[in-house]
Amino acid sequence: MRQQNQSKKKVSLFITCLVDNFFPQVGESMVKVLRKLGVEVDFPVDQTCCGQPAFNSGFQHDAKALAKRFLSIFQDDNCYVVCPSGSCTTMVKIFYRELLKEESRGLELADRLASRTYEFSAFLTNVLHVEDVGASYSGKVTYHDSCHLLRELRIRDEPRKLIKSVKGIDFVEMNLHDACCGFGGTFSIMFPGVSISMLEEKIISIVESGADTIVSTDMGCLMHIEGAMSRRKIPVKVMHIAELLASEL
Amino acid sequence: MNKSSREKILTRIRTGLYGSTGVHQQKEITRKSTGISAEPTMEKSILVNQFVEELTKVSGNAKIVESEDAVKDFIMSFVEERGISSFAIWKSELIQRLEIGDDLQSKGLKLAHPDKKEEMSNAGIGITEADFAIADTGTIVLIAGEKQPRTVSLIPPIHLAIVKSSLILRNINDLFAMLVNLISEKNSTEESTSCLTFITGPSRTADIELNLTLGVHGPRELFVLILAQ
Amino acid sequence: MEIKKLEFKKQSSTALTDQNLRKALRNTTDRFRASRKRAYDELEGFEDLRNRAREIKKETIENLPIYLGMLEGNVIKTGGKVHWAQDGEEACRIIVEIARENGVRSVVKSKSMATEEIELNHALEEAGIKAVETDLGEYIIQLAKERPSHIIAPAIHKSKDDISRLFSEKLSIPYYTEPEQLTRVARERLRSEFLSADMGVSGVNFAVAETGTIVVVENEGNARLSTTVPRVHVAVMGIEKVIPRYGDLSIFLPVLVRSATGQKISTYVSFITGPKRKSDMDGPEEFHLVIVDNGRAKILASEETRESLYCIRCGACLNICPVYRQVGGHSYGWVYSGPIGAIITPQLLGAEKAPELPFASSLCGACKDVCPVKIDFPKVLLELRKRVVEGENKDGRGGEAGLLERLLVRLWRISMESKTAYSLLSTLSYFLQFPWLSKNRKLSSLPYPFSEWTNDRDFPAVAKIPFRKRWKEISKI
């Protein structure tokens, strides 16, 4: 990263296709929080999908094509790349190098991109060194660890610190906080029965925690969890961490 | 033995690992291994206490005895209390010197011979002397040999082992540091043992709904007499 | 033996409806997980041990021909015999032959995944030789004519009541309800089998190249009996079970046992080096080591998946796996289940036999986190998925993926490769969703394949104005 610490930090938003098409308010919340913290935000308009769905389904040729496209869009080494998803961040930060390991040019670009790509909550805590963004929210909140964020990117405490610093929050840890919710992309459609059984255990865990709001870093997990809760009329609110941190900002 | 299968498997492995040429520069294999360290010894009494504690945790019984006579006294009164009528025994130096076997026989107990399965299956107790013990797991280590048959610690429902406190080691690393030397001296000779066994508590299973049950195939009870030295 | 195509989806669907099974699975996996965690937390430097264990496995696998040769030489030196089997059938043939040469009528077996894999019991019975499983869990499974559903606890899918009923029917005994009673019955029945058997068959947890020693880890004592009492001992191992040095066991034993059951050390560990010595009063007169390939060597050819052979069969990945926890071992269709089954079965049997297994994971990575040799399960699964889709060839054709799936992925890729097409798809989706949109702005009953989602879950509606359009406004602020 050539960028000077003193100068204003620049961020290229990597808005996942889920957030773009289904949950645009998450992207807006990110912008709000980042701007509040004095970051210059840009959104490369040519971006589409990072290729993870194809990669996870075994279509690596197709994923590779999208990875190269992504690399050409996020080429500016002066910008951090920040993403509202642990899973898509993992794709770019870790799996691109796997995918492009036989192509020296691609691998070099992937390495450089990896070093400046961050999941949103990790960017706030580990790059901006902020825990309290100044948000307020009144409610009993629990947190779901997204699998990729936790086990590929090793980020456990960062989002919790941010959540606990929000004024008015009563934070409660649920029992199975680090168990997979059963989403797993196409897994949820290929094996719906297994996926739902996993999800049901997760929901029991959420309800038993007594929380009125569940927060996570990934809309994949959250739309999965919300999908079952809304069907079962369980009145727990689902929130992306960016939305929470933008509350009353 | 099927020689061609051997060659085919090894060729397949070589091709898999090193490509079709099958050529591989093998670096010299070091005998030096792992994280074994001969670390400073500890106060024996600490090790004895730890051994007792760990063995007790796994449902074994440990008793510290202060003299060789006390070992013998314990065994004599134990077989009487339990009404044991037949026994199997090792002929280690200590056991022979204490004449435990002879005394049990003169008390009227029948000696079971390890080469006779029927006699062994009727034996009420097996008596051995551990070659080593490990404090931090509560393990005894038995080395099979001419005078130390394997089935004595295995077939009777009660296993009683004597261990000298000086032979209690700190942990598995210390034990392996010792065994590695012992084995390299005796490797592949008639002297080497055909079987070395770690025993940690009585036989157990948890195969029925994870309920812990003792004495499934091996001894239901394990007594270790620690001879303080 | 011909193995049919495995059907994870079908079998797991059945398993999901079995409430008793699911209760048992939750209970077992919870308890194993808690024990492992306790054992992990209390041992200082466990992480270093895992790293070291992985390093040694890597070293061994990369120099496998040398270590196998060394092992063979040392087994022979101590008076044992070594046999090599290319596949399960050959392994069975060798063992039946050893039995025939020795006039063996009955065999006692201690738990071994390798002999499950080669279906040894079946082969022995066909040859007119009685084979009795002696591990309590395996004994239960054998009576029920089933397959183990867990590497460490083969009968966890059976409740106490199931076992009471099974014993009472098959062994003609009263309906005992206490585990102690049931265990005592098994002890008595099996004791006479041990005493009358002419041959004992065991597995191998580790085989030490430098000494020719095989190591067997157990709690019950049945492996000690099987390897001590009968006149002939046959040990069966996969080629990957060898480790270089005796001292390496000080790493592997604690790592294996703590990962498997959470014990510090198992009740019994036997280090067997050859047959009994001449002067010994007991122990087997013959020792045979059968080294089985059965598809393993082929795995070595791929650097991406080679580490699948590092596995030491502790079962920790099963206990942590949220998928295994829901569906149990039998859903995986073959002897190996859970994450290790998902990666090893398609490689041993061929991707075409188990095309669903690499996908039977949400890629949550919990298995990788607990693996004592740190196998990178997600990485291997992704590589295997690629092979299913693309076939074994590099040209990306001829895999197992269906035409419709390929077409969909192709269309998707085309739309993702251009901003215009992407926007178009997004706008199109927005309008197309209306017929299915419910009052609360959810999609609750979409057509197939999306119905697989909406049968039990709502799907969010496509936003009217996506982020990229909102950005035009936001960027001006």
Side-chain angles (χ1 to χ4, degrees), chain B residues 113-144:
Chain B
H113 295 90
D115 48 356
K116 297 198 174 73
K117 289 181 195 175
E118 281 311 310
E119 287 185 17
M120 284 303 291
S121 60
N122 291 323
I125 190 169
I127 301 169
T128 65
E129 186 192 345
D131 294 276
F132 297 105
I134 309 170
D136 105 315
T137 53
T139 302
I140 54 170
V141 180
L142 304 187
I143 301 178

Side-chain angles (χ1 to χ4, degrees), chain B residues 52-229:
Chain B
V52 171
E53 192 183 316
E54 291 298 326
L55 180 60
T56 312
K57 273 190 209 162
V58 292
S59 315
N61 303 288
K63 188 173 164 56
I64 302 167
V65 284
E66 300 295 337
S67 69
E68 293 187 352
D69 288 341
V71 170
K72 203 160 147 179
D73 292 345
F74 181 89
I75 294 173
M76 293 304 145
S77 52
F78 183 82
V79 294
E80 201 167 299
E81 252 170 56
R82 296 294 185 99
I84 293 166
S85 60
S86 169
F87 71 102
I89 195 162
W90 275 14
K91 290 177 180 160
S92 65
E93 187 270 329
L94 176 70
I95 290 177
Q96 282 197 307
R97 182 153 46 80
L98 293 179
E99 298 175 337
I100 297 171
D102 300 335
D103 283 15
L104 286 171
Q105 276 181 292
S106 38
K107 245 176 118 84
L109 278 81
K110 194 171 169 302
L111 174 69
H113 295 90
D115 48 356
K116 297 198 174 73
K117 289 181 195 175
E118 281 311 310
E119 287 185 17
M120 284 303 291
S121 60
N122 291 323
I125 190 169
I127 301 169
T128 65
E129 186 192 345
D131 294 276
F132 297 105
I134 309 170
D136 105 315
T137 53
T139 302
I140 54 170
V141 180
L142 304 187
I143 301 178
E146 188 177 351
K147 295 173 176 175
Q148 313 201 143
R150 305 187 200 182
T151 47
V152 176
S153 64
L154 178 60
I155 294 184
I158 302 171
H159 174 204
L160 186 147
I162 307 160
V163 61
K164 294 173 187 152
S165 64
S166 60
L167 295 172
I168 301 179
L169 306 169
R170 207 175 41 150
N171 56 31
I172 198 167
N173 279 341
D174 289 1
L175 177 78
F176 272 95
M178 192 154 262
L179 290 179
V180 165
N181 289 328
L182 209 68
I183 275 155
S184 60
E185 284 165 22
K186 296 187 176 178
N187 188 23
S188 67
T189 65
E190 186 59 22
E191 261 185 288
S192 77
T193 178
S194 67
C195 187
L196 182 145
T197 312
F198 287 6
I199 298 177
T200 312
S203 154
R204 70 195 54 225
T205 186
D207 277 345
I208 302 175
E209 288 187 359
L210 294 187
N211 286 295
L212 178 67
T213 312
L214 297 181
V216 53
H217 289 299
R220 201 165 302 166
E221 292 179 85
L222 171 67
F223 287 85
V224 179
L225 300 186
I226 302 153
L227 176 56
Q229 287 180 311

Side-chain angles (χ1 to χ4, degrees), chain C residues 190-389:
Chain C
L190 290 169
R191 191 44 82 87
S192 59
E193 301 288 355
F194 282 121
L195 295 174
S196 62
D198 313 293
M199 183 163 122
V201 174
S202 76
V204 172
N205 289 101
F206 305 102
V208 182
E210 74 167 353
T211 57
T213 303
I214 64 146
V215 181
V216 183
V217 178
E218 55 150 348
N219 280 318
E220 297 186 2
N222 64 308
R224 288 188 67 200
L225 285 162
S226 307
T227 59
T228 300
V229 180
R231 205 166 49 75
V232 182
H233 171 203
V234 178
V236 185
M237 63 177 269
I239 53 170
E240 81 282 21
K241 289 284 171 186
V242 65
I243 57 170
R245 298 153 294 253
Y246 204 80
D248 294 336
L249 289 165
S250 68
I251 307 276
F252 282 111
L253 284 174
V255 158
L256 170 66
V257 180
R258 282 175 194 258
S259 301
T261 57
Q263 292 167 284
K264 280 187 168 179
I265 186 86
S266 62
T267 306
Y268 300 118
V269 185
S270 301
F271 305 71
I272 297 166
T273 315
K276 84 186 223 357
R277 304 294 180 259
K278 274 191 212 88
S279 54
D280 288 350
M281 295 174 79
D282 56 13
E285 283 162 27
E286 286 187 22
F287 172 71
H288 298 263
L289 181 62
V290 183
I291 302 174
V292 185
D293 177 352
N294 208 27
R296 288 168 171 75
K298 176 175 83 191
I299 298 178
L300 295 171
S302 156
E303 270 184 64
E304 278 83 14
T305 64
R306 193 179 280 169
E307 61 185 286
S308 316
L309 292 182
Y310 294 179
C311 174
I312 58 172
R313 307 278 187 265
C314 70
C317 63
L318 278 62
N319 300 327
I320 202 76
C321 178
V323 174
Y324 178 90
R325 180 180 169 88
Q326 304 303 331
V327 303
H330 289 154
S331 299
Y332 293 80
W334 201 46
V335 284
Y336 302 108
S337 57
I340 188 64
I343 66 167
I344 206 121
T345 302
Q347 297 188 77
L348 289 177
L349 300 181
E352 71 288 354
K353 291 277 187 201
E356 288 177 337
L357 283 187
F359 295 89
S361 159
S362 64
L363 297 178
C364 82
C367 40
K368 173 184 169 182
D369 261 15
V370 297
C371 178
V373 290
K374 299 192 164 181
I375 295 173
D376 192 339
F377 286 90
K379 192 183 125 197
V380 176
L381 285 166
L382 285 163
E383 171 64 22
L384 296 175
R385 288 178 182 192
K386 179 181 127 188
R387 284 188 210 164
V388 170
V389 168

Side-chain angles (χ1 to χ4, degrees), chain A residues 88-105:
Chain A
C88 303
T89 305
T90 298
M91 180 68 193
V92 169
K93 221 172 155 69
I94 294 179
F95 294 137
Y96 272 13
R97 290 144 94 184
E98 197 62 46
L99 201 54
L100 300 167
K101 66 180 169 214
E102 280 159 14
E103 300 176 23
S104 57
R105 169 80 184 138

